[in-house]
Amino acid sequence: MNLIYLTGTYPILTTTFIDREIKMLRQWGVDLKIVAIRRPPADMPLSKDQKELQQGVIYLLPVAWMNLIASHLYFAFLRPRRYFQSLIFLMTRSHPSLKARIKTLLHFGEGVYAAYLVRKHQFREFHAHFVDRAATVALVAGRLLGKPYSLSIHAGADIYVNPVLLREKITEARRAVTCSLYNKTHLEALIGQDLSHKISYIHHGLDLNEYQPSPPSSNGKPLILSVGQLARRKGFAQLIKGCRGLKDQGYEFNCQIVGQGPQREELDELVSQLSLEDTVTLLGAIPHDEVIERYRQATMFVLPCIQTDEGDVDGIPNVICEAMAMQLPVISTSVSAIPEILEHKVNGLLLPPDDNQALVRAMAHLLDEPALRAQLGGNGRQSMIETFDIERNVRRFATTLWPEWFHQ
């Protein structure tokens, strides 16, 4: 039971679902090595678990140039047919832009390097998380070493914004899983029904022992919490504008947004423009155990996701599942796969995307109705117990990909 996991930057705060998956597989006896393209930024506040998982990770970048050159010479001379056929295959496929084609060439180089670094390891197959760069690395390394690869396909830029060589990667993969029915349906629309038999959808899992709610505190102002990468698809600008509307109606509260990302400067400026410095705080990135503590302090969790003009959209944001597991009442939007887990007025509130008035009404309604908060929070946690248990879902994941190793 030997695997090599391939992924992009690892570990990072936004992919704790991969951490949980790896820990569970190792707990079941899988000899799992991790190859990551990049290290996390030096200032990223990793949790204790993530620091432990980072031990032993093989990194492709920053590159050791002599080893990189050696890797290409090694395969060009010892396995020239596989090396040049893989290069020609990738470079002759259709790409959306010259930039995308150049990236594919770079990822080919990384795939050769990855194959060289793990060539002496005994393992069954590669498993790539994300179908963009990691899948290209898996395709190349798998061809050079004569090993199969499987895929975990996610949302966002992975499949919704100019995906590259999507059909080719899934065609060559032995099996693929994605984390929502919405993603599976979208993939089938992109690549055709003839490959649908290769793709299964399985929700991620949560270790519910890690997410233990505490009784809500009545001290101080109510706290509206949101967590995620500071990217447009998360709807943080909509949340900040909603906070302005809520405050204009006379409500007193605090709002904390946890996360870092490309929209940070824009969101800081919006908070200033709307004179919300005393109400909305952008906390930046914090370790995951501290995020869990923020859940315990919160009155509600709000993530008003949108689909951007470029098509960027989330699948099922894991932070919504975490908040529900922490028995928080959740407000989100009917975007992408979120309705697969959030049912309006049953285990949360589901709103139209980018509707400021609806968002303000929903937040005000929860602030006014503690009994409703308790009802939605309790139902939300029960939903997670029923559908997101880590052991059950990773068992389904493993059984789907490696049925000869695992059974239900």
Side-chain angles (χ1 to χ4, degrees):
M1 298 169 66
N2 299 346
L3 291 172
I4 290 183
Y5 261 41
L6 286 164
T7 188
T9 304
Y10 188 83
I12 53 175
L13 302 180
T14 55
T15 58
T16 52
F17 57 90
I18 300 178
D19 305 341
R20 292 189 285 265
E21 182 179 294
I22 289 171
K23 287 173 63 179
M24 186 62 65
L25 290 173
R26 284 176 169 170
Q27 182 179 314
W28 291 338
V30 177
D31 181 0
L32 190 156
K33 294 179 175 60
I34 306 168
V35 176
I37 295 174
R38 292 184 181 275
R39 295 177 181 273
D43 60 350
M44 181 169 286
L46 300 176
S47 68
K48 180 182 176 182
D49 277 353
Q50 288 181 313
K51 290 176 181 176
E52 290 177 358
L53 284 167
Q54 192 177 14
Q55 302 302 313
V57 174
I58 298 171
Y59 289 102
L60 305 182
L61 300 176
V63 70
W65 287 103
M66 293 305 296
N67 284 344
L68 177 65
I69 293 168
S71 70
H72 284 265
L73 292 174
Y74 178 89
F75 287 109
F77 281 99
L78 293 184
R79 299 182 184 176
R81 185 173 180 179
R82 294 183 184 183
Y83 178 90
F84 289 106
Q85 279 187 345
S86 299
L87 177 60
I88 293 168
F89 171 78
L90 291 175
M91 290 296 98
T92 55
R93 302 304 100 179
S94 176
H95 285 71
S97 65
L98 176 61
K99 182 179 179 181
R101 193 176 294 276
I102 293 171
K103 283 187 175 181
T104 295
L105 179 60
L106 294 174
H107 296 151
F108 167 80
E110 291 166 355
V112 175
Y113 190 33
Y116 183 76
L117 293 178
V118 303
R119 68 193 187 282
K120 295 181 180 178
H121 290 275
Q122 298 297 318
F123 65 98
R124 165 68 180 271
E125 76 176 34
F126 292 105
H127 182 75
H129 263 284
F130 294 93
V131 77
D132 54 0
R133 51 186 177 164
T136 308
V137 172
L139 185 154
V140 174
R143 281 185 168 207
L144 293 175
L145 296 178
K147 298 286 187 179
Y149 71 90
S150 51
L151 295 173
S152 282
I153 302 172
H154 304 288
D158 206 26
I159 57 174
Y160 288 101
V161 184
N162 298 323
V164 177
L165 304 178
L166 187 61
R167 182 176 173 84
E168 289 82 353
K169 292 169 185 175
I170 294 174
T171 298
E172 294 223 356
R174 190 181 56 79
R175 285 300 301 268
V177 295
T178 189
C179 48
S180 70
L181 177 58
Y182 186 93
N183 280 0
K184 177 174 166 61
T185 303
H186 178 74
L187 283 164
E188 290 170 347
L190 289 176
I191 65 175
Q193 292 288 334
D194 60 311
L195 292 177
S196 63
H197 66 283
K198 282 197 169 187
I199 307 169
S200 302
Y201 84 91
I202 301 165
H203 292 322
H204 298 312
L206 291 175
D207 182 353
L208 293 164
N209 293 321
E210 184 181 352
Y211 297 90
Q212 292 293 336
S214 58
S217 172
S218 59
N219 297 328
K221 296 179 182 179
L223 173 60
I224 297 171
L225 180 68
S226 198
V227 181
Q229 183 190 32
L230 302 187
R232 291 184 187 279
R233 67 179 182 274
K234 300 292 186 179
F236 292 124
Q238 286 72 12
L239 173 57
I240 293 169
K241 293 172 186 175
C243 286
R244 179 69 264 175
L246 196 60
K247 195 169 183 180
D248 288 343
Q249 292 187 13
Y251 287 90
E252 292 190 359
F253 62 95
N254 290 317
C255 175
Q256 294 179 352
I257 299 174
V258 175
Q260 194 57 272
Q263 211 185 3
R264 176 61 191 257
E265 187 175 335
E266 178 184 335
L267 295 176
D268 279 329
E269 186 175 338
L270 183 60
V271 169
S272 178
Q273 286 176 353
L274 298 179
S275 302
L276 289 171
E277 293 91 341
D278 62 341
T279 302
V280 177
T281 305
L282 275 66
L283 295 175
I286 61 177
H288 191 64
D289 49 0
E290 292 185 28
V291 175
I292 293 175
E293 189 56 39
R294 298 284 172 173
Y295 289 136
R296 291 195 176 99
Q297 298 166 8
T299 307
M300 70 181 79
F301 183 87
V302 183
L303 193 71
C305 298
I306 63 169
Q307 183 162 8
T308 70
D309 293 340
E310 298 76 26
D312 194 11
V313 67
D314 260 322
I316 298 175
N318 283 275
V319 290
I320 290 180
C321 302
E322 293 173 4
M324 293 172 74
M326 291 298 291
Q327 213 159 302
L328 276 174
V330 171
I331 298 173
S332 193
T333 55
S334 53
V335 165
S336 186
I338 295 172
E340 291 182 29
I341 60 163
L342 203 61
E343 187 176 353
H344 186 54
K345 294 185 178 180
V346 175
N347 60 5
L349 298 180
L350 200 61
L351 311 178
D354 213 1
D355 187 333
N356 183 261
Q357 291 184 350
L359 179 59
V360 172
R361 285 196 301 269
M363 293 191 293
H365 191 36
L366 287 186
L367 288 175
D368 290 337
E369 300 287 345
L372 178 61
R373 295 200 303 267
Q375 177 189 340
L376 296 178
N379 291 346
R381 179 166 174 84
Q382 186 60 36
S383 296
M384 292 300 99
I385 292 171
E386 293 172 359
T387 61
F388 268 74
D389 175 74
I390 181 70
E391 185 165 350
R392 181 173 58 244
N393 286 13
V394 175
R395 176 72 64 177
R396 285 188 59 213
F397 165 84
T399 302
T400 299
L401 290 178
W402 308 290
E404 67 277 21
W405 287 353
F406 296 92
H407 53 84
Q408 295 283 5

